[in-house]
Amino acid sequence: MGSMTVERTEKRVGVRFGEMQTPELVVSSRANARVKQLRAAFQGHARLSGGMVAIEGDHLLEEALRSGMVLKTVFVSERRTVPGVVPRGVEVLRLTDDVFGSVVETQSPQGVAALMVPPVRTLADLFDGAGTALILIAVGLQDPGNLGTLVRSGEAFGASGVLTTPGTVSAWNQKALRASVGSVFRVPVVGVTAAEVAELKGRGVRLIAAVGVEDFGVLAAQEMDLTAACAVMIGNEGSGLAAEWLEMCDGRVTIPCPGPVESLNAAVAGSLLLYEASRQRGV
């Protein structure tokens, strides 16, 4: 393990994962190279993490493996066993509770985390399926919980994928990851420019802007035809969609609200529109 600082536990009972067994070694240094890489990944520093993504908890670990993600290193705290789902050949490091707690972001960690190789997605991935394209475009969303929820709703209602524009939070942000509950491992999330969004029209995709007010030319969700290939734009939580985005759209849709509210949460609005598209398509 090179220069890493380790402590050998008193009982050399070993750690079993898959069919492999390794000596029980406990990393007690926060300066350990792998620990520093995991910390950088949790903080979203792509260069320092070597391009890795950090995941935490049993559920996300299981979802990542079920979705075919590639794990580089699994970290477990000294108080728990290595999850049985960890494949043979994956590097496993045991950390002291103090070191583990200093790296992860949750208040009550489950004692397992991992470095994962993020999948490389492109626009072409959104058109690989046999169904009619249903795309959600997150325009300048800054709340990671909203983005993660939209990715999860995208999977629930059969979306082809989620596009994110400049200024939108990363789908690999820790809060976004947790809010997606693993859907981000399966739903293509691709960063795009305004020009690339406009080019979707050349693929036969109708651009639809979600707006918060009922006005002339704005259709209620149930009146808008969402059965053909379309991409629904959800704007920034505070300011909505800027004029440049509204101008490139082919139509505008809103969700009628009988209650006295000014607007819906971005994740709620996007989820309702995806549901309506799914309902119309009979999915």
Side-chain angles (χ1 to χ4, degrees), residues 18-123:
E19 299 178 359
M20 296 181 65
Q21 193 168 357
T22 63
E24 184 85 12
L25 300 173
V26 183
V27 176
S28 60
S29 171
R30 297 188 183 191
N32 173 273
R34 279 283 185 267
V35 171
K36 290 169 69 175
Q37 187 179 19
L38 181 64
R39 183 180 296 111
F42 271 119
Q43 294 174 351
H45 299 312
R47 183 179 63 82
L48 296 177
S49 68
M52 296 292 107
V53 166
I55 57 176
E56 180 189 354
D58 289 281
H59 180 74
L60 280 181
L61 179 68
E62 292 168 4
E63 286 292 292
L65 290 171
R66 183 169 73 87
S67 306
M69 300 295 102
V70 177
L71 302 184
K72 179 176 178 62
T73 306
V74 172
F75 303 80
V76 291
S77 66
E78 58 187 331
R79 62 182 169 83
R80 64 161 295 169
T81 58
V82 179
V85 296
V86 177
R88 178 181 180 179
V90 174
E91 178 184 39
V92 176
L93 291 183
R94 186 174 293 282
L95 312 181
T96 63
D97 289 343
D98 176 67
V99 171
F100 191 92
S102 73
V103 175
V104 299
E105 300 212 332
T106 56
Q107 295 292 329
S108 302
Q110 297 176 26
V112 62
L115 282 171
M116 185 195 86
V117 181
V120 178
R121 310 288 198 186
T122 66
L123 266 175

Side-chain angles (χ1 to χ4, degrees), residues 136-151 162-171 173 176 232-241 245 264-271:
L136 189 132
I137 306 176
V139 181
L141 290 191
Q142 298 175 342
D143 186 307
N146 280 342
L147 181 62
T149 298
L150 286 170
V151 173
V162 175
L163 303 181
T164 61
T165 69
T168 297
V169 67
S170 170
N173 173 284
V232 178
M233 290 188 192
I234 301 295
N236 176 275
E237 292 87 354
S239 57
L241 290 167
W245 298 104
L264 292 174
N265 169 276
V268 171
S271 297

